[in-house]
Amino acid sequence: MDDGQAQAIGSRVRMARLRRGLTLKETAQGAGISAGFLSMVENGKRLLDSSRHIAALAEVLQTTPAELAGRHLPSADRMSADAHAAVPALRLALMGAGIWSRPPGPPPPEPVLAERVAEANRRYHAAAYGELAASLPDLLADLHAATDAASGSRRRRLLRLLIAAYSPATVMLLKYLGYSDLAFIAVTRAADLTAELDDPAYTALSGFFTAHVLLAAGSPAQALRHATDAADTLATRLTTPAAHALLGELHLIRATATTLDRTRSGKSRVVEVTDHLAEATTLADRTGESRAWHLNFGPANVGVHHVSLNTDLQQYGQAISAGTGPHPDLSALPSGRRAAFHTDLGRALAHTRANEARAVAALLTAERLAPQRVRGNHLVAETLRRLARRRLPHRTRRDVQGLAHRIGITP
């Protein structure tokens, strides 16, 4: 063992841990190693030479492996890599190949399928993309087998389960992973199932997810048209709380599409976004926090959009006021949506001087809540590059470099 090297690395690890205010036990547990081993590392009695251990400690201590090891190590985001590794099997499932490869025998009972669909959507909202992507091929194959064997009211119930598996879970997963072409296939399959149901609310739901895919593909004008048509279809059939919640979601996606439509003047975009937010606020006051359609409409989600939409409109002061002033309790939201709130607040803060440390703190909070979602967000990468060009306090710069490493960029 190189005693000098072991002592140098141990000293760097101890200093990074103390800066974070973490105990030896907390750090070891977070990195998946024993406290005894970590103690020997910090005291220079064991050489930290495993790249896996170095990367794990760097993540817990929110720094770069290079700072701990004294040498460059390649970036590796295992969780995101797992999600992308599962996409080829999901692609085959979307092509219909999954149904051919499922084991022979009857499909699982309907209650089991319903719980698996609910779990898939919980994983999406928690941004557990790797687990979700791995589970979807078998789930879609089993749902198709069950639906094909059913008739009457049971078939309609299974169709709704299939739509819930395709739309929120599959479409949104693929959107956030960057596979807009596969997301389009998923939303098209959901639309075919929706046509059989012949239910205006489900038709509007299909338009909502189609708008999301078109936004991901870079066509906000087309997204706005689909969302508007869906809202018009639904507006005359508001017979249930779920329908009101869906109309609220449609106002939010219309506002999002409007902010991204650069063919409109800035002033007209602000006016239209303000109108949609007002409509969504009124509907949220009526519905309260809703989980209809496996979505998250309510006052909290409208509050998140006040931050994100003002940030996208470059109204950074309004975004910061919405994010730091009184706002709805975000604890009602799953971790993915809370991460979106902190991400967009961090983006807004990064555009204002003297708020760099607060911006980085917000981004780190978002990463803790939903690492896979934050690390795959190109807007976070752009924000880190913006911050890296400024003169920053030493700790803030270290935080920027650590998050940049985990994302896999050089700021």
Side-chain angles (χ1 to χ4, degrees):
M1 179 178 70
D2 185 333
D3 291 341
Q5 185 182 14
Q7 290 172 1
I9 292 177
S11 177
R12 286 192 288 266
V13 171
R14 184 189 304 109
M15 289 179 62
R17 176 174 64 80
L18 294 175
R19 283 196 302 265
R20 291 296 170 194
L22 296 174
T23 66
L24 198 76
K25 183 178 180 181
E26 290 169 337
T27 305
Q29 286 180 338
I33 58 179
S34 72
F37 173 75
L38 180 57
S39 177
M40 287 190 289
V41 167
E42 289 194 358
N43 288 307
K45 296 178 181 178
R46 287 288 299 270
L47 176 61
L48 187 65
D49 57 357
S50 165
S51 60
R52 179 172 62 85
H53 288 160
I54 293 170
L57 282 168
E59 181 155 354
V60 173
L61 299 173
Q62 296 184 352
T63 187
T64 65
E67 181 172 339
L68 299 183
R71 57 188 171 88
H72 174 73
L73 289 173
S75 174
D77 182 358
R78 179 184 54 78
M79 291 182 292
S80 297
D82 288 347
H84 289 286
V87 167
L90 181 53
R91 177 182 287 107
L92 288 173
L94 294 174
M95 294 167 60
I99 192 67
W100 307 328
S101 61
R102 71 177 301 275
E110 186 179 330
V112 172
L113 291 171
E115 176 51 35
R116 286 170 64 188
V117 170
E119 177 61 21
N121 281 287
R122 282 193 291 269
R123 285 172 170 167
Y124 158 65
H125 288 298
Y129 295 154
E131 295 175 8
L132 173 57
S135 72
L136 281 172
D138 287 345
L139 174 59
L140 293 173
D142 285 344
L143 281 167
H144 274 290
T147 304
D148 290 345
S151 60
S153 60
R154 183 168 187 270
R155 179 175 173 84
R156 290 182 66 82
R157 291 195 303 272
L158 287 166
L159 283 170
R160 294 187 185 99
L161 286 178
L162 251 177
I163 292 168
Y166 270 119
S167 296
T170 310
V171 171
M172 300 303 280
L173 165 74
L174 292 166
K175 171 187 173 179
Y176 285 114
L177 288 180
Y179 298 93
S180 58
D181 53 341
L182 296 184
F184 179 77
I185 295 174
V187 84
T188 301
R189 285 194 169 274
D192 292 341
L193 300 168
T194 298
E196 182 176 344
L197 278 180
D198 193 25
D199 182 324
Y202 274 89
T203 300
L205 183 70
S206 178
F208 171 77
F209 284 109
T210 299
H212 268 283
V213 174
L214 289 168
L215 279 179
S219 183
Q222 291 188 56
L224 181 59
R225 284 196 293 272
H226 275 269
T228 301
D229 289 346
D232 290 344
T233 297
L234 190 62
T236 58
R237 297 172 175 84
L238 295 176
T239 58
T240 64
H244 284 87
L246 180 55
L247 183 60
E249 289 282 7
L250 285 164
H251 276 293
L252 293 179
I253 193 67
R254 290 167 76 185
T256 302
T258 300
T259 66
L260 300 175
D261 186 0
R262 305 301 180 188
T263 64
R264 299 166 181 252
S265 70
K267 183 177 180 179
S268 69
R269 281 187 284 143
V270 169
V271 170
E272 289 188 43
V273 167
T274 301
D275 288 345
H276 286 306
L277 280 173
E279 293 287 349
T281 299
T282 299
L283 288 162
D285 290 341
R286 176 170 183 162
T287 64
E289 299 297 343
S290 170
R291 296 295 176 268
W293 316 102
H294 294 287
L295 300 173
N296 296 289
F297 183 72
N301 202 12
V302 174
V304 172
H305 279 78
H306 272 282
V307 177
S308 63
L309 295 171
N310 276 301
T311 300
D312 287 337
L313 289 169
Q314 300 180 4
Q315 299 192 127
Y316 303 120
Q318 290 91 322
I320 293 169
S321 295
T324 58
H327 54 69
D329 182 8
L330 299 183
S331 65
L333 294 175
S335 56
R337 290 306 298 152
R338 284 182 282 135
F341 170 86
H342 291 288
T343 296
D344 292 323
L345 177 58
R347 290 172 53 216
L349 287 164
H351 279 85
T352 59
R353 292 291 177 179
N355 277 319
E356 290 86 357
R358 294 172 65 198
V360 175
L363 295 177
L364 291 176
T365 298
E367 186 195 26
R368 285 193 293 272
L369 288 166
Q372 293 181 64
R373 181 162 181 169
V374 172
R375 294 174 188 175
N377 188 332
H378 74 279
L379 295 174
V380 172
E382 291 178 7
T383 301
L384 292 174
R385 292 189 178 100
R386 173 185 296 277
L387 289 167
R389 290 194 293 267
R390 298 185 190 169
R391 296 188 63 178
L392 302 174
H394 184 62
R395 177 169 179 168
T396 302
R397 181 164 296 282
R398 186 187 304 115
D399 289 342
V400 168
Q401 292 170 343
L403 180 53
H405 177 86
R406 294 189 294 277
I407 288 176
I409 65 167
T410 302

